[in-house]
Amino acid sequence: MIRVAVVDDQALMRAGFRALLDAEEGIEVVGEAANGEQGVALVRAQLPDIALIDVQMPVMTGIEATRRIAADPDLSAVRVVILTNYGLDEYVFEALRAGASGFLLKDTDPADLLQAIEIVAGGEALLSPAITRTLIGEFVSRPPDRSTPSGLEHLTRREREVTALAARGLTNEEIAAHMVISPFTAKTHISRAMTKLGARDRAQLVVFAYESGLVTARTPEFRCEPDPPDRNLGR
């Protein structure tokens, strides 16, 4: 059973999401909240698998609510999906930085909403390659945030390469083809990079790649020599 919390300041929107989700076998709405502060309290009380959170709300915004949820070790298993009317705007970028696992437009087709919840509940980021490439268009227009600790020194060359390729919008299969490795090995490198960087999911890995300067607008195609045998992970 996938447990979902709905946080939105519009009562009609909350009712619509509840009706849709409660009608689906395998999904249970565990509660509703009308602002970010109530949403954080609800998440702490119910520990849902997914928190659907509106980006703009009174009292506390969805971004701040996301930040507090992501920063709470007791809520590490909760995945936040941001709800927005506006698509890829500044609010969405800030929400991803705050720890959101993805976002959905409020007028998303019901079938796509249900599929999205299953994807995020399964531990994946709700960030398709197409959306990643759109995010890239925003990130590359900004200089790297040099105040952000890099963490690159903790990654092997292979892990830096897969991180850069993921930030370019490649799927695991495309990364595997580019590096001439198996998709499973590509996924393993991605997982290890996320663990070392403390990234909750692929979305956070993409944010890291741009904010650390690993990938920029003028970064040439990332290439590296194979790791030495004793560090050649997953090969």
Side-chain angles (χ1 to χ4, degrees):
M1 181 69 68
I2 300 173
R3 305 172 75 251
V4 180
V6 179
V7 185
D8 195 299
D9 61 325
Q10 299 179 29
L12 186 60
M13 188 64 66
R14 295 197 307 272
F17 279 119
R18 176 180 278 277
L20 172 65
L21 297 176
D22 277 343
E24 184 70 13
E25 184 177 355
I27 297 179
E28 175 190 8
V29 176
V30 298
E32 303 174 21
N35 60 58
E37 187 173 77
Q38 293 177 5
V40 173
L42 171 64
V43 168
R44 285 174 175 159
Q46 295 294 332
L47 297 178
D49 301 300
I50 306 292
L52 297 178
I53 300 181
D54 185 18
V55 71
Q56 291 180 295
M57 292 180 293
V59 183
M60 181 189 292
T61 67
I63 294 172
E64 180 58 27
T66 299
R67 185 175 292 113
R68 295 192 185 192
I69 291 170
D72 190 335
D74 293 335
L75 305 179
S76 61
V78 179
R79 293 291 176 260
V80 174
V81 175
I82 289 293
L83 300 170
T84 176
N85 287 317
Y86 308 108
L88 285 167
D89 58 13
E90 182 63 25
Y91 295 111
V92 171
F93 300 121
E94 291 303 317
L96 290 174
R97 291 188 183 97
S101 292
F103 76 95
L104 284 171
L105 293 175
K106 288 189 177 182
D107 61 357
T108 295
D109 183 83
D112 291 337
L113 170 63
L114 297 172
Q115 182 182 35
I117 287 175
E118 292 180 358
I119 289 172
V120 177
E124 298 295 328
L126 186 59
L127 211 62
S128 70
I131 295 300
T132 302
R133 291 180 182 112
T134 306
L135 282 169
I136 287 167
E138 169 67 16
F139 277 119
V140 298
S141 69
R142 306 175 179 184
D145 182 358
R146 297 304 182 187
S147 66
T148 302
S150 170
L152 289 177
E153 68 276 9
H154 301 304
L155 303 184
T156 67
R157 290 181 63 81
R158 283 289 185 178
E159 289 161 355
R160 290 197 297 273
E161 183 174 10
V162 296
T163 298
L165 293 173
R168 290 295 187 189
L170 275 65
T171 64
N172 287 345
E173 289 72 20
E174 291 169 336
I175 291 172
H178 179 91
M179 297 177 64
V180 196
I181 57 178
S182 72
F184 175 80
T185 299
K187 184 176 181 179
T188 298
H189 286 311
I190 289 284
S191 297
R192 287 175 174 165
M194 289 194 298
T195 298
K196 290 181 179 181
L197 297 173
R200 287 165 66 94
D201 52 36
R202 198 183 190 96
Q204 291 295 293
L205 196 65
V206 172
V207 170
F208 163 82
Y210 283 94
E211 292 198 328
S212 68
L214 177 63
V215 177
T216 67
R218 294 180 174 82
T219 299
E221 184 175 354
F222 193 100
R223 294 182 182 278
C224 69
E225 296 300 322
D227 286 332
D230 61 335
R231 297 178 59 206
N232 194 4
L233 304 179
R235 294 293 298 275

